[in-house]
């Protein structure tokens, strides 16, 4: 027989192989993986910052020291105001907030009904704030305020100051 031993031609295939097909698939999968991981990291960051906002509320320099703070009322807490889950980021002038934070600790304001021992929002300043001194300076221009609250985040467009009056 006239052939070389050990050499056989490759069987014919129906589809020609594409040299770049596998490489393109790997590239597309890598891009999709990066998008999914980046989106997950962004959601994690946003969820973490919403649960623990960097905010401060302190009695102002003009507050009367004989007034009782909202966290130590002479009536039971359940009689102060109904439960609310409204975030102070949405508090508007004329609405009231209450402090659910521990006495002497980090405040936790919630929008609520205007009843005794709550704080009425007299003025709201939206935009960048640099902290306590800035909040105090802004509220010094507001007649009748007793306390202030500020929210300072990494994004200045989310910052605000509330000038409050204890009811």
């Amino acid at each position: 027989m006239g052939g070389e031993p050990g050499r056989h031609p490759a069987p014919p295939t129906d589809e020609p192989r594409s040299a770049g097909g596998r490489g393109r698939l790997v590239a597309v999968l890598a891009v999709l993986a990066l998008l999914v991981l980046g989106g997950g990291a962004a959601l994690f960051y946003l969820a973490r910052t919403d649960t623990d906002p960097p905010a401060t509320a302190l009695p102002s320099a003009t507050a009367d020291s004989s007034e009782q703070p909202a966290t130590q009322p002479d009536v039971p807490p359940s009689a102060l105001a109904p439960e609310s889950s409204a975030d102070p980021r949405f508090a508007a002038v004329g609405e009231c907030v209450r402090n659910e934070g521990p006495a002497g600790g980090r405040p936790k304001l919630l929008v609520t009904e205007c009843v005794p021992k709550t704080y009425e929002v007299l003025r709201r300043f939206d935009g960048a704030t640099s902290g306590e001194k800035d909040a105090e300076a802004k509220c010094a221009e507001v007649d009748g305020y007793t306390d202030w609250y500020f929210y300072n985040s990494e994004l200045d467009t989310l910052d605000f100051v509330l000038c409050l009056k204890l009811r």
Side-chain angles (χ1 to χ4, degrees):
M1 308 254 228
E4 293 181 15
R7 278 191 85 190
H8 301 282
T13 60
D14 293 337
E15 298 178 15
R17 286 192 176 176
S18 171
R22 187 174 292 244
R24 284 187 215 140
L25 178 63
V26 169
V28 168
L29 290 176
V31 168
L32 286 175
L34 286 174
L35 289 174
V36 168
L37 291 174
L43 288 175
F44 175 77
Y45 175 77
L46 292 174
R48 187 185 66 165
T49 57
D50 283 346
T51 59
D52 194 21
T56 302
L58 299 172
S60 66
T62 61
D64 183 3
S65 62
S66 66
E67 294 180 14
Q68 287 184 339
T71 56
Q72 297 175 352
D74 53 355
V75 294
S78 60
L80 290 179
E83 288 299 314
S84 172
S85 62
D87 193 296
R89 291 181 287 179
F90 306 109
V93 172
E95 292 183 322
C96 290
V97 295
R98 69 174 189 265
N99 185 1
E100 290 290 315
R106 186 180 197 150
K108 181 181 178 187
L109 294 187
L110 299 173
V111 177
T112 188
E113 290 182 37
C114 293
V115 296
K117 305 292 181 184
T118 60
Y119 294 90
E120 181 180 354
V121 178
L122 299 178
R123 180 115 186 241
R124 178 185 177 100
F125 294 93
D126 289 310
T129 183
S130 58
E132 295 177 18
K133 289 182 181 180
D134 181 52
E136 189 172 354
K138 287 177 179 175
C139 289
E141 302 172 7
V142 178
D143 290 333
Y145 94 98
T146 59
D147 298 278
W148 44 261
Y149 174 91
F150 74 90
Y151 179 89
N152 188 10
S153 70
E154 292 178 14
L155 298 173
D156 286 342
T157 57
L158 299 178
D159 294 358
F160 66 90
V161 173
L162 299 178
C163 302
L164 307 169
K165 178 181 179 181
L166 183 63
R167 293 176 61 93

